Amino acid sequence: PALPCEVEPVRRRVEGFRVAGVGARHTAATVASIPSQWQQLALTRELGRDVAYGVCCNRDGEGAFDYVAGMEIGSTAAVPATWQAVSIPGGEYLLAWHAGHISAIRDTWFWLLNDYLPGSGLTLADAPDFERYDARFDDRTGSGGVEIWLPLADSN
């Protein structure tokens, strides 16, 4: 069974921003290849960037989605030809903390989507969701924790 987050998820408002990076289309059968996108990004990203994003977007009814491993860029910044850009809309999000090893993050996602959200009466908006990796996360060991941001539909 999926374990709940160690820290209660909280609601936060976000200003819109844009992420660009290494994008790929995935299904449940191919999500294991997501780490290779991070390896490609690590080869190309500027040194000194403290925050990176893993964005899930463009979901279809069959369970396929785009995943972009990237970093925030300006709204009019040029995007390298081999990269994919995605706009994160401003609005209210559920912020959850995945404290465990990165290999277990799917369990946290599963708990959030299948246990926490239905139990809290919150509804996902039709917008990208994302993981935010900051200085606490050690990409060499996969430890340190990751923020998970889920867009919420207006409850009015």
Side-chain angles (χ1 to χ4, degrees), residues 2 54 56 59 98 104-115 129-131 147-150:
C56 298
R59 296 180 190 281
H98 170 74
I105 195 166
R106 284 176 69 189
D107 293 339
T108 301
W109 275 99
F110 191 87
W111 174 78
L112 285 166
L113 297 174
N114 296 294
D115 296 331
D129 49 54
F130 59 93
E131 300 154 1
E147 294 176 355
I148 296 175
W149 292 76
L150 301 175

mmCIF file of all heavy atoms in Angstrom, residues 2 54 56 59 98 104-115 129-131 147-150:
data_model
loop_
_atom_site.group_PDB
_atom_site.id
_atom_site.type_symbol
_atom_site.label_atom_id
_atom_site.label_comp_id
_atom_site.label_asym_id
_atom_site.label_seq_id
_atom_site.Cartn_x
_atom_site.Cartn_y
_atom_site.Cartn_z
ATOM 1 N N ALA A 2 0.361 2.298 -0.622
ATOM 2 C CA ALA A 2 1.098 3.553 -0.685
ATOM 3 C C ALA A 2 1.121 4.200 0.693
ATOM 4 O O ALA A 2 0.121 4.222 1.401
ATOM 5 C CB ALA A 2 0.447 4.488 -1.696
ATOM 6 N N GLY A 54 10.269 18.656 -12.770
ATOM 7 C CA GLY A 54 9.775 17.541 -13.576
ATOM 8 C C GLY A 54 8.292 17.787 -13.785
ATOM 9 O O GLY A 54 7.522 17.726 -12.835
ATOM 10 N N CYS A 56 4.595 17.074 -15.599
ATOM 11 C CA CYS A 56 3.717 16.139 -16.304
ATOM 12 C C CYS A 56 2.587 16.941 -16.942
ATOM 13 O O CYS A 56 1.913 17.706 -16.244
ATOM 14 C CB CYS A 56 3.109 15.124 -15.341
ATOM 15 S SG CYS A 56 4.310 14.072 -14.527
ATOM 16 N N ARG A 59 -1.875 15.119 -20.774
ATOM 17 C CA ARG A 59 -2.386 13.764 -20.549
ATOM 18 C C ARG A 59 -3.509 13.457 -21.524
ATOM 19 O O ARG A 59 -4.278 14.335 -21.891
ATOM 20 C CB ARG A 59 -2.935 13.652 -19.124
ATOM 21 C CG ARG A 59 -1.884 13.835 -18.054
ATOM 22 C CD ARG A 59 -2.521 13.717 -16.662
ATOM 23 N NE ARG A 59 -1.586 14.109 -15.632
ATOM 24 C CZ ARG A 59 -0.605 13.328 -15.163
ATOM 25 N NH1 ARG A 59 -0.460 12.119 -15.647
ATOM 26 N NH2 ARG A 59 0.213 13.760 -14.231
ATOM 27 N N HIS A 98 7.610 14.739 -0.696
ATOM 28 C CA HIS A 98 8.051 13.342 -0.773
ATOM 29 C C HIS A 98 9.413 13.273 -0.086
ATOM 30 O O HIS A 98 10.410 13.759 -0.626
ATOM 31 C CB HIS A 98 8.157 12.883 -2.230
ATOM 32 C CG HIS A 98 8.824 11.553 -2.372
ATOM 33 N ND1 HIS A 98 8.189 10.386 -2.033
ATOM 34 C CD2 HIS A 98 10.069 11.213 -2.790
ATOM 35 C CE1 HIS A 98 9.031 9.362 -2.238
ATOM 36 N NE2 HIS A 98 10.171 9.847 -2.691
ATOM 37 N N ALA A 104 11.021 5.888 -4.793
ATOM 38 C CA ALA A 104 9.700 5.602 -4.220
ATOM 39 C C ALA A 104 8.689 6.709 -4.511
ATOM 40 O O ALA A 104 7.575 6.687 -3.987
ATOM 41 C CB ALA A 104 9.823 5.404 -2.704
ATOM 42 N N ILE A 105 9.038 7.662 -5.385
ATOM 43 C CA ILE A 105 8.145 8.811 -5.584
ATOM 44 C C ILE A 105 6.810 8.399 -6.205
ATOM 45 O O ILE A 105 5.787 9.006 -5.928
ATOM 46 C CB ILE A 105 8.826 9.926 -6.399
ATOM 47 C CG1 ILE A 105 8.031 11.235 -6.260
ATOM 48 C CG2 ILE A 105 9.006 9.508 -7.858
ATOM 49 C CD1 ILE A 105 8.782 12.465 -6.734
ATOM 50 N N ARG A 106 6.794 7.333 -6.992
ATOM 51 C CA ARG A 106 5.521 6.906 -7.580
ATOM 52 C C ARG A 106 4.527 6.490 -6.497
ATOM 53 O O ARG A 106 3.317 6.653 -6.667
ATOM 54 C CB ARG A 106 5.745 5.784 -8.598
ATOM 55 C CG ARG A 106 6.322 6.323 -9.907
ATOM 56 C CD ARG A 106 6.655 5.231 -10.894
ATOM 57 N NE ARG A 106 5.454 4.591 -11.410
ATOM 58 C CZ ARG A 106 5.469 3.495 -12.153
ATOM 59 N NH1 ARG A 106 6.607 2.915 -12.454
ATOM 60 N NH2 ARG A 106 4.354 2.972 -12.601
ATOM 61 N N ASP A 107 5.035 5.938 -5.390
ATOM 62 C CA ASP A 107 4.145 5.571 -4.281
ATOM 63 C C ASP A 107 3.486 6.809 -3.687
ATOM 64 O O ASP A 107 2.304 6.785 -3.336
ATOM 65 C CB ASP A 107 4.923 4.838 -3.176
ATOM 66 C CG ASP A 107 5.426 3.470 -3.636
ATOM 67 O OD1 ASP A 107 4.865 2.919 -4.601
ATOM 68 O OD2 ASP A 107 6.379 2.966 -3.026
ATOM 69 N N THR A 108 4.252 7.893 -3.563
ATOM 70 C CA THR A 108 3.692 9.134 -3.023
ATOM 71 C C THR A 108 2.651 9.706 -3.978
ATOM 72 O O THR A 108 1.569 10.123 -3.556
ATOM 73 C CB THR A 108 4.821 10.156 -2.761
ATOM 74 O OG1 THR A 108 5.744 9.584 -1.828
ATOM 75 C CG2 THR A 108 4.260 11.453 -2.187
ATOM 76 N N TRP A 109 2.961 9.713 -5.280
ATOM 77 C CA TRP A 109 1.984 10.166 -6.282
ATOM 78 C C TRP A 109 0.699 9.347 -6.162
ATOM 79 O O TRP A 109 -0.401 9.895 -6.192
ATOM 80 C CB TRP A 109 2.560 10.004 -7.691
ATOM 81 C CG TRP A 109 3.408 11.142 -8.143
ATOM 82 C CD1 TRP A 109 4.768 11.209 -8.123
ATOM 83 C CD2 TRP A 109 2.961 12.380 -8.703
ATOM 84 N NE1 TRP A 109 5.185 12.419 -8.639
ATOM 85 C CE2 TRP A 109 4.103 13.153 -9.006
ATOM 86 C CE3 TRP A 109 1.695 12.908 -8.971
ATOM 87 C CZ2 TRP A 109 4.024 14.416 -9.567
ATOM 88 C CZ3 TRP A 109 1.614 14.171 -9.532
ATOM 89 C CH2 TRP A 109 2.774 14.912 -9.827
ATOM 90 N N PHE A 110 0.858 8.025 -6.062
ATOM 91 C CA PHE A 110 -0.305 7.137 -5.995
ATOM 92 C C PHE A 110 -1.166 7.478 -4.786
ATOM 93 O O PHE A 110 -2.386 7.583 -4.877
ATOM 94 C CB PHE A 110 0.168 5.673 -5.943
ATOM 95 C CG PHE A 110 -0.940 4.687 -6.132
ATOM 96 C CD1 PHE A 110 -1.323 4.270 -7.403
ATOM 97 C CD2 PHE A 110 -1.608 4.161 -5.030
ATOM 98 C CE1 PHE A 110 -2.348 3.353 -7.575
ATOM 99 C CE2 PHE A 110 -2.648 3.246 -5.197
ATOM 100 C CZ PHE A 110 -3.011 2.843 -6.476
ATOM 101 N N TRP A 111 -0.520 7.672 -3.631
ATOM 102 C CA TRP A 111 -1.263 8.011 -2.411
ATOM 103 C C TRP A 111 -1.989 9.350 -2.573
ATOM 104 O O TRP A 111 -3.154 9.479 -2.209
ATOM 105 C CB TRP A 111 -0.318 8.052 -1.202
ATOM 106 C CG TRP A 111 -1.002 8.524 0.039
ATOM 107 C CD1 TRP A 111 -1.838 7.790 0.836
ATOM 108 C CD2 TRP A 111 -0.943 9.827 0.613
ATOM 109 N NE1 TRP A 111 -2.295 8.580 1.869
ATOM 110 C CE2 TRP A 111 -1.767 9.824 1.762
ATOM 111 C CE3 TRP A 111 -0.271 11.001 0.273
ATOM 112 C CZ2 TRP A 111 -1.926 10.953 2.563
ATOM 113 C CZ3 TRP A 111 -0.429 12.126 1.068
ATOM 114 C CH2 TRP A 111 -1.254 12.095 2.200
ATOM 115 N N LEU A 112 -1.308 10.344 -3.122
ATOM 116 C CA LEU A 112 -1.920 11.660 -3.295
ATOM 117 C C LEU A 112 -3.154 11.579 -4.190
ATOM 118 O O LEU A 112 -4.214 12.125 -3.867
ATOM 119 C CB LEU A 112 -0.919 12.648 -3.900
ATOM 120 C CG LEU A 112 0.159 13.153 -2.948
ATOM 121 C CD1 LEU A 112 1.274 13.829 -3.728
ATOM 122 C CD2 LEU A 112 -0.450 14.103 -1.922
ATOM 123 N N LEU A 113 -3.021 10.897 -5.329
ATOM 124 C CA LEU A 113 -4.100 10.872 -6.317
ATOM 125 C C LEU A 113 -5.250 9.952 -5.914
ATOM 126 O O LEU A 113 -6.411 10.240 -6.214
ATOM 127 C CB LEU A 113 -3.550 10.455 -7.682
ATOM 128 C CG LEU A 113 -2.516 11.415 -8.278
ATOM 129 C CD1 LEU A 113 -1.931 10.839 -9.560
ATOM 130 C CD2 LEU A 113 -3.115 12.788 -8.527
ATOM 131 N N ASN A 114 -4.935 8.851 -5.250
ATOM 132 C CA ASN A 114 -5.961 7.842 -4.986
ATOM 133 C C ASN A 114 -6.512 7.850 -3.566
ATOM 134 O O ASN A 114 -7.600 7.322 -3.335
ATOM 135 C CB ASN A 114 -5.409 6.446 -5.312
ATOM 136 C CG ASN A 114 -5.094 6.322 -6.785
ATOM 137 O OD1 ASN A 114 -5.981 6.352 -7.623
ATOM 138 N ND2 ASN A 114 -3.813 6.235 -7.100
ATOM 139 N N ASP A 115 -5.774 8.433 -2.615
ATOM 140 C CA ASP A 115 -6.220 8.465 -1.222
ATOM 141 C C ASP A 115 -6.453 9.889 -0.736
ATOM 142 O O ASP A 115 -7.545 10.237 -0.311
ATOM 143 C CB ASP A 115 -5.194 7.786 -0.294
ATOM 144 C CG ASP A 115 -5.046 6.299 -0.593
ATOM 145 O OD1 ASP A 115 -6.018 5.697 -1.056
ATOM 146 O OD2 ASP A 115 -3.954 5.760 -0.382
ATOM 147 N N ASP A 129 0.984 19.210 -13.695
ATOM 148 C CA ASP A 129 1.458 19.088 -12.315
ATOM 149 C C ASP A 129 2.968 18.923 -12.398
ATOM 150 O O ASP A 129 3.513 18.655 -13.465
ATOM 151 C CB ASP A 129 0.773 17.937 -11.562
ATOM 152 C CG ASP A 129 0.768 16.630 -12.337
ATOM 153 O OD1 ASP A 129 1.854 16.186 -12.763
ATOM 154 O OD2 ASP A 129 -0.318 16.043 -12.512
ATOM 155 N N PHE A 130 3.645 19.141 -11.266
ATOM 156 C CA PHE A 130 5.101 19.118 -11.361
ATOM 157 C C PHE A 130 5.760 18.735 -10.046
ATOM 158 O O PHE A 130 5.183 18.850 -8.978
ATOM 159 C CB PHE A 130 5.650 20.463 -11.857
ATOM 160 C CG PHE A 130 5.310 21.667 -11.017
ATOM 161 C CD1 PHE A 130 6.174 22.109 -10.022
ATOM 162 C CD2 PHE A 130 4.134 22.371 -11.233
ATOM 163 C CE1 PHE A 130 5.870 23.231 -9.256
ATOM 164 C CE2 PHE A 130 3.820 23.496 -10.480
ATOM 165 C CZ PHE A 130 4.686 23.926 -9.488
ATOM 166 N N GLU A 131 6.988 18.247 -10.195
ATOM 167 C CA GLU A 131 7.888 17.989 -9.073
ATOM 168 C C GLU A 131 8.903 19.118 -9.078
ATOM 169 O O GLU A 131 9.361 19.546 -10.138
ATOM 170 C CB GLU A 131 8.611 16.653 -9.272
ATOM 171 C CG GLU A 131 7.669 15.472 -9.381
ATOM 172 C CD GLU A 131 8.234 14.288 -10.168
ATOM 173 O OE1 GLU A 131 9.398 14.361 -10.631
ATOM 174 O OE2 GLU A 131 7.491 13.322 -10.341
ATOM 175 N N GLU A 147 9.440 18.220 -3.715
ATOM 176 C CA GLU A 147 8.094 18.773 -3.610
ATOM 177 C C GLU A 147 7.260 18.279 -4.789
ATOM 178 O O GLU A 147 7.740 18.238 -5.921
ATOM 179 C CB GLU A 147 8.132 20.306 -3.649
ATOM 180 C CG GLU A 147 8.817 20.932 -2.457
ATOM 181 C CD GLU A 147 8.925 22.451 -2.596
ATOM 182 O OE1 GLU A 147 8.545 22.989 -3.661
ATOM 183 O OE2 GLU A 147 9.396 23.088 -1.641
ATOM 184 N N ILE A 148 5.986 17.940 -4.524
ATOM 185 C CA ILE A 148 5.035 17.580 -5.575
ATOM 186 C C ILE A 148 3.933 18.634 -5.552
ATOM 187 O O ILE A 148 3.348 18.900 -4.490
ATOM 188 C CB ILE A 148 4.442 16.174 -5.338
ATOM 189 C CG1 ILE A 148 5.532 15.108 -5.423
ATOM 190 C CG2 ILE A 148 3.318 15.899 -6.350
ATOM 191 C CD1 ILE A 148 5.058 13.700 -5.081
ATOM 192 N N TRP A 149 3.661 19.260 -6.698
ATOM 193 C CA TRP A 149 2.677 20.333 -6.821
ATOM 194 C C TRP A 149 1.550 19.867 -7.733
ATOM 195 O O TRP A 149 1.793 19.559 -8.911
ATOM 196 C CB TRP A 149 3.335 21.579 -7.399
ATOM 197 C CG TRP A 149 4.334 22.233 -6.487
ATOM 198 C CD1 TRP A 149 5.611 21.794 -6.217
ATOM 199 C CD2 TRP A 149 4.157 23.434 -5.733
ATOM 200 N NE1 TRP A 149 6.226 22.665 -5.335
ATOM 201 C CE2 TRP A 149 5.354 23.684 -5.033
ATOM 202 C CE3 TRP A 149 3.093 24.337 -5.598
ATOM 203 C CZ2 TRP A 149 5.523 24.792 -4.193
ATOM 204 C CZ3 TRP A 149 3.257 25.445 -4.774
ATOM 205 C CH2 TRP A 149 4.460 25.658 -4.084
ATOM 206 N N LEU A 150 0.333 19.833 -7.198
ATOM 207 C CA LEU A 150 -0.841 19.392 -7.979
ATOM 208 C C LEU A 150 -1.790 20.576 -8.160
ATOM 209 O O LEU A 150 -2.196 21.201 -7.172
ATOM 210 C CB LEU A 150 -1.575 18.268 -7.227
ATOM 211 C CG LEU A 150 -0.756 17.009 -6.925
ATOM 212 C CD1 LEU A 150 -1.579 16.046 -6.075
ATOM 213 C CD2 LEU A 150 -0.345 16.329 -8.215
#
